[in-house]
Amino acid sequence: MSKTSIISLRKIKKIYKLGEREIEVLKDINLEVEKGEFLAIMGVSGSGKSTLLNIIGLMDKPTEGEYFLMGRKIAHLDDDHLSELRNAYVGFVFQQFYLIEYLNALENVVLPLLYSHKSVSHLQKKALNLLEKVGLKERYKSKPSQLSGGEQQRVAIARALINEPEIILADEPTGQLDTETALEIMDIFSKLNAEGKTVVMVTHDPNMAAKAKRITKMKDGRIVD
Ligand SMILES: Nc1ncnc2c1ncn2[C@@H]1O[C@H](COP(=O)(O)OP(=O)(O)OP(=O)(O)O)[C@@H](O)[C@H]1O
Ligand SMILES: [Mg+2]
């Protein structure tokens, strides 16, 4: 593990059991991500990209291998400890925004910290600042159904930032957006990266991957370059 690796995966395997059958979805993955990197993970459907991202984000556990997040070995940690680390260090952005329909943009952004012990007015102010950062401050009262796809993804990015995570993980964040809107979303990730966030993004789209600083390709559960 190099000194500045924020994410370090060694010989990671993931095996899913389907009845009697075992499928090896990740095979011997070695990956180092340095602090402040902007990495794109590419590969065809089914190559294991989301599985890998979910392991990086502590949403899933590898079957074999070692994972160090910010220098900390995570293999032996229990679920409570894993969610604690996830909440502290990781912000997730997904293709299907996953906003709560009956909450407005501001409330959606605050949601991850709603049960923290922080004051509501402090959280609202913070959420409003984040909405401003993603260019959506005036729409803070809008519900998801009143927002375009690109605007909903901006809300989702603001929500991912409310914990001030070191690492942003994005799984096909532009998959539902037209090219122009997708590039606007990529600009936000680039800006966050320029501010020091480590960004790891999964994408099919070479035009979006080109916005990252490094591209790694997966094929059939392995990293191939
Ligand atoms: N919970 C699960 N149980 C069994 N198999 C699974 C499970 N999750 C994923 N898989 C299988 O693992 C393989 C990799 O899936 P994964 O979602 O990581 O691919 P992906 O590269 O993200 O694909 P896509 O580009 O379509 O999103 C697929 O063959 C999938 O069917
Ligand atoms: Mg996927």
Side-chain angles (χ1 to χ4, degrees):
M1 179 174 48
S2 87
K3 215 172 147 196
T4 52
S5 274
I6 195 164
I7 292 162
S8 178
L9 301 170
R10 293 190 209 154
K11 300 191 169 190
I12 293 288
K13 277 190 187 183
K14 180 69 183 180
I15 296 168
Y16 283 119
K17 288 199 172 68
L18 280 181
E20 293 292 287
R21 248 183 81 218
E22 288 192 342
I23 345 172
E24 203 177 357
V25 174
L26 296 179
K27 302 164 186 167
D28 195 32
I29 297 277
N30 294 290
L31 180 68
E32 301 283 325
V33 181
E34 310 282 301
K35 188 168 161 54
E37 268 205 281
F38 186 171
L39 173 69
I41 300 174
M42 297 192 73
V44 298
S45 183
S47 55
K49 306 180 297 297
S50 295
T51 304
L52 179 59
L53 202 70
N54 288 341
I55 287 174
I56 292 173
L58 308 177
M59 311 264 275
D60 201 354
K61 284 181 179 173
T63 313
E64 271 180 45
E66 285 183 331
Y67 176 21
F68 296 83
L69 175 65
M70 313 196 47
R72 208 179 312 201
K73 190 171 179 171
I74 64 106
H76 61 288
L77 300 178
D78 61 29
D79 288 348
D80 284 350
H81 207 147
L82 288 177
S83 25
E84 219 170 273
L85 280 182
R86 184 168 61 236
N87 292 337
Y89 298 117
V90 184
F92 256 104
V93 179
F94 302 94
Q95 178 172 359
Q96 300 93 342
F97 329 124
Y98 294 127
L99 300 175
I100 307 291
E101 288 300 327
Y102 60 84
L103 298 180
N104 68 31
L106 187 83
E107 292 160 343
N108 267 286
V109 175
V110 165
L111 198 61
L113 287 184
L114 200 59
Y115 299 104
S116 68
H117 297 287
K118 308 212 166 62
S119 82
V120 173
S121 67
H122 167 80
L123 288 177
Q124 287 180 339
K125 205 169 144 198
K126 192 169 178 183
L128 208 55
N129 283 336
L130 289 170
L131 285 171
E132 185 171 25
K133 194 183 190 85
V134 298
L136 213 64
K137 193 182 181 186
E138 313 75 51
R139 302 299 301 275
Y140 75 95
K141 277 188 172 167
S142 298
K143 300 270 174 70
S145 62
Q146 299 167 318
L147 297 169
S148 71
E151 288 165 346
Q152 290 182 60
Q153 193 60 299
R154 286 166 194 266
V155 176
I157 293 171
R159 179 186 56 189
L161 294 171
I162 193 90
N163 293 315
E164 299 174 32
E166 295 251 353
I167 304 170
I168 310 282
L169 301 179
D171 194 349
E172 298 277 4
T174 62
Q176 290 202 33
L177 308 174
D178 62 74
T179 305
E180 195 181 327
T181 310
L183 288 170
E184 288 170 14
I185 294 297
M186 291 308 302
D187 281 344
I188 297 175
F189 288 121
S190 294
K191 196 169 94 182
L192 293 170
N193 177 243
E195 289 170 5
K197 303 276 188 206
T198 305
V199 182
V200 181
M201 173 187 72
V202 163
T203 183
H204 281 108
D205 186 338
N207 295 317
M208 303 308 143
K211 300 291 173 186
K213 290 185 192 157
R214 176 159 74 106
I215 300 176
T216 189
K217 292 199 175 120
M218 289 188 70
K219 192 182 172 195
D220 202 14
R222 292 180 199 277
I223 287 175
V224 289
D225 67 346

